[in-house]
Amino acid sequence: MRRLGRLLRRAREESNRSQTEAAKLVGWSLPKLGRLEAAETRRIKPDDLAALAKLYSVGADTLAMWQELAAQAKERGWWAKYRKSGIFTDDLPDFESEASAIRTYEPQVIPGLLQIPEYAETLLRGGQAHEDSAIAASVDARMKRQQILHRHDPPSYWAVIDEAALTRTVGSPEIMRAQIRYLVQTATRHGVTIQILPFSAGAHAGTTGAILVLEYAEPVDPALVYVEHYAASLMLESPEEVRRTLDIFSHVSSSALTGDQSAEYLRARLATLESEE
């Protein structure tokens, strides 16, 4: 739903109309249009989208995409209950669930969509005391996010993982064995690419932090860059920001082991951990 709100806002801005002007021209209150663009309602009438499409002079294909997203909004959004409880504090699940391609680089931990429950639980605890029920709910939410990789039309998923994430023991050796075993299995799945960035790569383009780029199939729906900090997260969508991030990801990927080499590395790492049992 956040994706539809973003597209409606973008179409309005490209028509050079303010929210106030657009609402007046279609005969709506300003709060109504504001709620649509802020994705604060999941029930959108087809006639309302048609009115906006006419006002913004968008084509039939774009209107059809808006209507499809509106229909999907009624079915998706399982994360809404988690947002109410404070587990999800941003819109990543909304945008992630509708992406056609996801590219990520993680320098410290296994990417969220590739984590096993035990590994995720240890990370979420972070060495601090938390209510078990809250941690369990957070782990459950993270596992549900992973379902996008198992649906009948999954996005292509490309992850570059720094060697540091594979050598740092999270939780216990048993958890790390299970986590790396899962990566070995997942790396062979269609549409999934896993690369390892070895310590031997030395200095590389991604030294400033993690990367997450979400891409979409429709040309009118440009890519997004997700940036997460301790206190907040944000979505970057300007063409220059996205292009720059994709360039950095490309350089990081070029510095990493190939897919075959990465699979070999994971199997060797797993064998080492298993020999230490």
Side-chain angles (χ1 to χ4, degrees):
M1 186 58 197
R2 293 286 176 178
R3 182 179 165 207
L4 176 57
R6 169 183 174 238
L7 291 176
L8 293 177
R9 174 178 56 80
R10 190 180 187 90
R12 174 178 57 76
E13 292 173 346
E14 289 179 348
S15 72
N16 296 314
R17 288 184 171 86
S18 67
Q19 236 184 31
T20 300
E21 180 187 6
K24 182 178 180 180
L25 289 172
V26 291
W28 297 352
S29 66
L30 180 58
K32 176 177 178 177
L33 181 57
R35 285 194 297 272
L36 287 180
E37 292 189 4
E40 293 176 350
T41 177
R42 290 194 172 275
R43 297 191 176 278
I44 305 175
K45 298 178 182 178
D47 288 348
D48 286 347
L49 292 177
L52 292 178
K54 182 177 180 181
L55 177 64
Y56 302 151
S57 300
V58 303
D61 289 345
T62 297
L63 174 58
M65 181 181 66
W66 289 358
Q67 292 171 335
E68 181 180 355
L69 290 174
Q72 291 172 353
K74 297 178 182 178
E75 302 170 2
R76 294 179 176 175
W78 55 266
W79 48 85
K81 68 175 182 179
Y82 293 101
R83 181 178 288 121
K84 289 179 181 178
S85 62
I87 293 175
F88 287 140
T89 57
D90 57 40
D91 303 322
L92 178 59
D94 295 79
F95 291 111
E96 198 174 54
S97 70
E98 296 171 347
S100 60
I102 299 173
R103 306 187 200 195
T104 185
Y105 161 62
E106 277 290 353
Q108 298 294 336
V109 298
I110 305 301
L113 293 182
L114 297 177
Q115 294 173 8
I116 62 171
E118 296 82 0
Y119 184 95
E121 178 182 348
T122 304
L123 285 182
L124 289 165
R125 287 190 183 280
Q128 303 178 58
H130 294 285
E131 290 288 340
D132 287 345
S133 59
I135 292 295
S138 295
V139 172
D140 183 59
R142 186 161 296 187
M143 296 305 105
K144 280 188 168 62
R145 272 181 57 207
Q146 295 182 4
Q147 292 306 305
I148 64 171
L149 298 182
H150 300 278
R151 67 192 188 198
H152 75 279
D153 60 338
S156 63
Y157 185 74
W158 187 349
V160 179
I161 307 173
D162 197 283
E163 187 174 2
L166 300 165
T167 54
R168 175 179 293 106
T169 299
V170 172
S172 68
E174 290 78 17
I175 288 176
M176 291 307 298
R177 281 192 288 270
Q179 176 63 76
I180 294 177
R181 190 175 296 116
Y182 180 72
L183 291 179
V184 170
Q185 297 168 351
T186 305
T188 62
R189 293 186 53 200
H190 177 70
V192 174
T193 299
I194 295 178
Q195 290 183 275
I196 307 304
L197 182 65
F199 292 137
S200 60
H204 57 85
T207 53
T208 55
I211 295 171
L212 179 58
V213 181
L214 307 173
E215 298 175 279
Y216 301 92
E218 298 293 337
V220 297
D221 197 359
L224 286 169
V225 172
Y226 177 77
V227 179
E228 184 176 22
H229 298 286
Y230 290 109
S233 61
L234 68 156
M235 294 286 185
L236 307 178
E237 57 181 294
S238 79
E240 177 56 28
E241 290 168 334
V242 173
R243 184 198 63 75
R244 176 61 179 157
T245 305
L246 285 172
D247 283 347
I248 293 174
F249 181 85
S250 178
H251 284 298
V252 171
S253 174
S254 296
S255 299
L257 302 176
T258 65
D260 287 344
Q261 292 170 336
S262 296
E264 182 179 344
Y265 171 94
L266 289 171
R267 287 191 291 267
R269 180 66 183 146
L270 179 59
T272 299
L273 290 173
E274 289 176 337
S275 70
E276 296 172 353
E277 287 189 68

